[in-house]
Amino acid sequence: MKTSRREFIRQLGYVSIGFTILGAACMNTKEENNEGGGNAGNSEAATENSNRPDRINAWLRVLEDGSVLVLTGKMELGQGIRIAVAQMAAEELNTSPDLVEVNLAETGVTANEGYTAGSHSIETSAMSIRRAAAAAREKLLNLASKKWEIPVSQVSLEDGNIIAGTNKMTLYDLLEGRQISEEIGEPSEIYGKTRRKYVGQPVLRKDISAMVRAQHEYVQDLEFPNMVHARIIRPTSYTSKLASLDEEGLEDFPGFLKLVRIGSFVGVIAEEEFEAIKLSWEVNNRAQWDDDEELPAEVPLKEYLKTLDADVEVEEEKGDWQSTIEEAPIQHSASYYKPYIMHAANGPSCAVAFFDNDKLSVWTHSQGVYPLRETLAALLGMPAESIHVKGVPGSGCYGHNGADDVAAEAALLAVNLPGRHVRLQWMRNDEHCWEPYGTAMIMELQAGLDSNGKIKGWKYDFWSDGHSTRPNGQPETLLPARFLDKGHGVPGIGFKGGAVRNSTPYYTIETLQTTSHIFQGPLRKSALRGLGAYGNIFGIECFIDELAQKAGKDPVEFRINHLSDERAITCLKKIKEKTSNVRPGENEGLGYAFSRYKNSASYFAVAAHVKKMDDGIFRVKKMWGVIDSGETINPDGLKNQTEGGMVQAASWALREEVRFDKQHITSVDWHRYPIFRFEEIPEVEVEVIDRVDEKPLGAGEAAQGPSAAAVANAVFDATGIRYRDLPINPVEKYLR
């Protein structure tokens, strides 16, 4: 379609390539949709999204200055998706990554790719951008070939220019103001597989240096003209109802703009942030709450969870596992437990909202801008098309923390103060007490081994809440909805599939049964890095270690003897080599673990060197990891993801536990919810196995379960004592 130069510039001067590839994935996968509780909604934009398996839409905008704008529906969480997709586009367009810009998730601008979750970003969004860039390259080369009447083999594309001998022109000039928009098939060549000029290289992330210099713009840093500030007055419990509130004289406080009260939802808006904070203190002192429910604080949580009603289902069954176990010469059983744990983002959640002329704009670090838009529409009674949601990175968080909740709260306040940008920043106790946690789990295992130490029968039962209640078009998935006067209620169990993740061992076992017991627990919960895979792998890998001991086998060789996948075996052999010269001293131990995330994504083997200190606290001295994620896009990025996952999992295993009393959460700050301090972070060494001929595999959540198990197994190696309930170090040791 020919357009004028003015129209071309008005449309940002881009080449639009829309294409169809059966079986590829720039779309919401079934798992991503289920994790959020269903389809993102029924708005026109959501309908356009590539939920259909036979359609993929990706956009590349070739700008007038020669740079390329890449659009991804995924969010930057610290996982490095921005640099990865830039590398992939740069590779296919033979253009320096310095000339590639990336626009993150934004409704009406980027594709609706659901949530940035489940380690899908490279497998889905990045692969679609790769194909789009390759398709654009081939179309542009053909266009130049026809223009210059020479074979396409004599034409090349480099750094935004088309070149053929002495002929050279920019892509902008080549297009002559035309917009190219057509449906195409699979590109004939993927440079990322054949040339790898940028892909597979440790291209530096520009945002890291900006972070170090405090120049990086997070959602917490946003400023707008005449922006105002807000705070929420929190109830005393999950089920509190506002009984009374004395509003007299509040308008006389410095900076006061508005008190917003909708049922039991209460917020204050002021000109300056500290004025809003002081107002929230004053209003909190004036509020009276009625509480009608209590939390089960007087019963040990592991014991209490077993008393809850649960949906019981056999997830997988093979052979006569029961008789096999009962007749086995070597039998063993064990029970493991993980408590509720926090996302524990260093920067509390934040959002900015602006409402005017019946239109709402929200700036948020949500991991799903389209699902959030649909849910805000239902909460506010607005058409989804009247809401614009722009993703802005926040403090790194893997999973569903308070980002969506604070966005909803900011939106509710902005609707009540039109024409002003309303910035709502949570406080530390807001974040710790009201975010949705990673749920507690119980894992019970039985096994029977033959006289040669081979597992013949296996039984696994696990108890878990659902692992995701992300916004899905239903208002009750947002925290403020439960306190409004519309009776939205609270979400139910949520995404059961998250609980089942990695519950079936990747090892070769002749007979087995896996049974889930899904309950609805007492605390608010949602997706946290790895979901149920963390608890399941922790239990399975600790139990495997115990079986190896029962069989009198080396723990790594025992695992290898139960694997048929050569890539898994390679990872374990490499981790054994890495620790072959390690000689633990007194009160020190080495522990190992392995898993393949989701039994279909990255392979990961890990070792941990742990020491018991004089005060009885266990410290991790060093950790080693070997990861196989198929084709590696950025080895530094993959190492960073893996290292971070190992350290986070070690902190979970040794230190972290959400605590509560009868009324509410008591882990209100870093003293009462202790995470690793910098001096406690171990040395970490990660090797990446790059398999160019394989497809890339999700890696962001691969390290969690195995790393925690390796730490626990190392503690046993150091002490001869098996710690099966997390955290291993008593939380009381850190409370002060």
Side-chain angles (χ1 to χ4, degrees):
M1 180 180 69
K2 292 186 177 182
T3 60
S4 68
R5 183 175 293 265
R6 181 186 302 272
E7 178 67 11
F8 184 86
I9 295 173
R10 187 187 71 80
Q11 296 177 357
L12 295 181
Y14 62 86
V15 183
S16 167
I17 306 287
F19 58 96
T20 297
I21 302 175
L22 290 175
C26 176
M27 59 184 176
N28 289 348
T29 66
K30 180 178 180 182
E31 180 172 280
E32 286 178 298
N33 281 333
N34 286 342
E35 183 177 327
N39 200 313
N42 297 314
S43 74
E44 182 177 72
T47 303
E48 291 174 355
N49 178 39
S50 49
N51 279 328
R52 292 164 45 193
D54 62 341
R55 185 168 182 82
I56 299 175
N57 296 324
W59 298 89
L60 291 176
R61 298 182 181 181
V62 181
L63 306 180
E64 187 176 359
D65 64 0
S67 64
V68 177
L69 181 65
V70 173
L71 304 175
T72 174
K74 298 298 183 180
M75 189 66 176
E76 178 62 67
L77 312 174
Q79 82 278 38
I81 186 63
R82 193 196 297 266
I83 188 61
V85 298
Q87 284 178 253
M88 299 182 86
E91 186 77 69
E92 301 310 317
L93 295 170
N94 196 30
T95 296
S96 168
D98 291 336
L99 296 175
V100 179
E101 303 172 28
V102 178
N103 194 107
L104 299 172
E106 182 175 0
T107 59
V109 177
T110 62
N112 180 351
E113 297 189 65
Y115 302 104
T116 305
S119 300
H120 284 297
S121 295
I122 294 296
E123 292 180 321
T124 58
S125 189
M127 291 300 100
S128 298
I129 289 169
R130 163 183 275 182
R131 292 185 179 95
R137 179 194 71 235
E138 294 181 356
K139 189 65 183 176
L140 292 165
L141 292 175
N142 278 305
L143 187 61
S145 169
K146 292 177 181 178
K147 181 180 182 65
W148 288 328
E149 298 181 344
I150 58 176
V152 71
S153 60
Q154 297 178 17
V155 185
S156 63
L157 189 161
E158 183 176 357
D159 290 337
N161 294 302
I162 291 289
I163 303 168
T166 59
N167 293 323
K168 180 178 180 180
M169 69 170 57
T170 66
L171 298 181
Y172 179 85
D173 290 334
L174 173 66
L175 293 170
E176 297 179 338
R178 291 178 298 170
Q179 176 182 351
I180 304 174
S181 180
E182 63 184 80
E183 190 173 292
I184 60 175
E186 189 79 51
S188 61
E189 182 181 1
I190 298 294
Y191 282 2
K193 292 289 189 181
T194 59
R195 302 193 180 190
R196 291 174 69 82
K197 182 178 180 181
Y198 301 115
V199 167
Q201 307 304 316
V203 178
L204 296 179
R205 288 173 52 179
K206 298 176 185 177
D207 56 341
I208 297 294
S209 61
M211 292 177 196
V212 173
R213 294 177 174 84
Q215 298 170 335
H216 193 75
E217 188 173 86
Y218 291 102
V219 66
Q220 288 90 347
D221 302 321
L222 293 180
E223 295 184 16
F224 295 90
N226 299 315
M227 185 172 73
V228 297
H229 298 267
R231 285 296 187 274
I232 302 299
I233 288 74
R234 296 294 173 194
T236 50
S237 73
Y238 280 135
T239 58
S240 297
K241 301 295 181 184
L242 185 62
S244 65
L245 176 60
D246 178 11
E247 302 181 27
E248 185 176 354
L250 288 175
E251 65 276 6
D252 298 328
F253 278 72
F256 175 86
L257 288 174
K258 191 154 191 175
L259 172 77
V260 177
R261 176 180 175 180
I262 312 171
S264 295
F265 172 80
V266 183
V268 292
I269 308 174
E271 292 286 355
E272 300 295 335
E273 184 166 24
F274 191 47
E275 292 172 342
I277 293 172
K278 289 189 289 185
L279 269 168
S280 70
W281 293 342
E282 177 65 24
V283 174
N284 184 63
N285 290 333
R286 297 180 179 206
Q288 298 294 320
W289 301 91
D290 288 335
D291 301 307
D292 57 0
E293 290 186 19
E294 293 183 346
L295 294 174
E298 295 183 346
V299 181
L301 187 57
K302 183 177 181 181
E303 178 182 326
Y304 173 77
L305 296 179
K306 282 285 196 80
T307 69
L308 296 175
D309 292 336
D311 294 331
V312 182
E313 184 174 351
V314 174
E315 302 293 341
E316 184 154 347
E317 189 165 30
K318 182 172 62 174
D320 186 359
W321 57 271
Q322 187 169 5
S323 296
T324 302
I325 293 175
E326 291 173 352
E327 296 169 4
I330 304 174
Q331 299 175 29
H332 188 54
S333 63
S335 175
Y336 306 87
Y337 167 75
K338 69 166 285 281
Y340 286 95
I341 52 178
M342 291 184 186
H343 295 83
N346 283 333
S349 297
C350 182
V352 178
F354 179 77
F355 182 76
D356 199 28
N357 296 321
D358 296 324
K359 301 289 185 181
L360 175 67
S361 295
V362 179
W363 291 261
T364 172
H365 52 118
S366 169
Q367 294 181 3
V369 293
Y370 279 96
L372 176 59
R373 183 181 73 165
E374 299 300 322
T375 314
L376 289 176
L379 180 73
L380 300 169
M382 292 178 61
E385 294 77 11
S386 297
I387 302 175
H388 175 252
V389 182
K390 167 64 178 172
V392 184
S395 177
C397 168
Y398 293 80
H400 176 209
N401 71 340
D404 298 288
D405 300 322
V406 73
E409 292 170 342
L412 284 164
L413 298 176
V415 167
N416 282 274
L417 190 71
R420 302 288 295 270
H421 287 81
V422 178
R423 177 183 180 272
L424 175 58
Q425 168 79 61
W426 274 14
M427 306 291 277
R428 174 52 54 194
N429 59 341
D430 291 323
E431 190 77 26
H432 276 218
C433 293
W434 292 96
E435 70 147 70
Y437 309 117
T439 185
M441 292 179 65
I442 300 169
M443 298 76 72
E444 295 186 351
L445 297 104
Q446 306 172 51
L449 288 73
D450 65 19
S451 56
N452 294 318
K454 195 80 169 179
I455 302 173
K456 293 298 183 179
W458 178 277
K459 176 73 169 85
Y460 180 39
D461 288 81
F462 63 94
W463 284 256
S464 176
D465 206 329
H467 279 259
S468 181
T469 52
R470 292 183 185 270
N472 60 358
Q474 298 174 321
E476 63 266 25
T477 55
L478 297 169
L479 176 63
R482 67 178 65 194
F483 299 110
L484 301 179
D485 49 11
K486 292 187 177 180
H488 287 298
V490 298
I493 287 174
F495 177 42
K496 175 197 167 183
V500 177
R501 188 174 294 176
N502 278 101
S503 58
T504 298
Y506 197 64
Y507 301 102
T508 301
I509 300 174
E510 292 180 2
T511 67
L512 60 80
Q513 185 189 79
T514 299
T515 304
S516 62
H517 305 254
I518 308 299
F519 57 76
Q520 185 159 6
L523 302 187
R524 189 174 184 230
K525 85 294 177 185
S526 194
L528 177 57
R529 196 175 191 180
L531 284 75
Y534 170 65
N536 289 325
I537 295 170
F538 168 73
I540 289 170
E541 283 300 298
C542 286
F543 192 62
I544 286 288
D545 226 58
E546 295 192 37
L547 293 180
Q549 183 199 16
K550 285 280 186 180
K553 304 287 186 181
D554 175 85
V556 175
E557 289 301 319
F558 185 79
R559 287 171 169 84
I560 290 173
N561 290 339
H562 288 87
L563 286 166
S564 57
D565 189 330
E566 287 301 322
R567 292 171 69 176
I569 293 170
T570 297
C571 288
L572 280 163
K573 286 182 176 179
K574 283 182 175 290
I575 205 68
K576 188 67 172 179
E577 290 171 6
K578 285 183 172 296
T579 57
S580 60
N581 294 323
V582 178
R583 299 291 181 266
E586 186 178 359
N587 293 322
E588 294 182 357
L590 271 178
Y592 298 90
F594 163 81
S595 80
R596 185 178 185 189
Y597 184 52
K598 301 182 188 175
N599 288 353
S600 61
S602 290
Y603 301 80
F604 182 63
V606 58
H609 184 183
V610 169
K611 180 176 182 177
K612 185 177 183 180
M613 311 303 290
D614 292 340
D615 60 359
I617 293 294
F618 293 98
R619 296 282 294 269
V620 183
K621 296 182 65 176
K622 184 171 181 178
M623 300 181 79
W624 299 262
V626 176
I627 189 162
D628 175 354
S629 297
E631 180 193 0
T632 301
I633 307 305
N634 187 315
D636 274 2
L638 181 53
K639 285 182 180 180
N640 292 343
Q641 281 285 280
T642 308
E643 290 171 357
M646 293 163 71
V647 171
Q648 184 180 41
S651 180
W652 287 351
L654 288 179
R655 272 181 165 257
E656 300 183 39
E657 178 183 11
V658 175
R659 294 195 161 196
F660 54 91
D661 59 21
K662 286 185 177 181
Q663 192 169 45
H664 200 52
I665 310 303
T666 57
S667 304
V668 299
D669 52 36
W670 294 122
H671 296 305
R672 280 164 282 196
Y673 188 82
I675 64 173
F676 269 7
R677 304 290 181 174
F678 280 108
E679 67 269 14
E680 295 175 287
I681 295 175
E683 180 184 353
V684 181
E685 179 184 319
V686 173
E687 178 179 342
V688 171
I689 300 175
D690 186 8
R691 298 186 183 273
V692 179
D693 295 332
E694 300 288 345
K695 66 178 182 179
L697 300 173
E701 299 166 305
Q704 306 308 109
S707 296
V711 169
N713 292 336
V715 167
F716 174 78
D717 190 52
T719 65
I721 300 171
R722 180 64 66 177
Y723 289 79
R724 298 189 178 103
D725 292 356
L726 300 179
I728 292 171
N729 289 331
V731 174
E732 286 78 10
K733 287 278 189 179
Y734 305 103
L735 301 182
R736 60 180 185 269

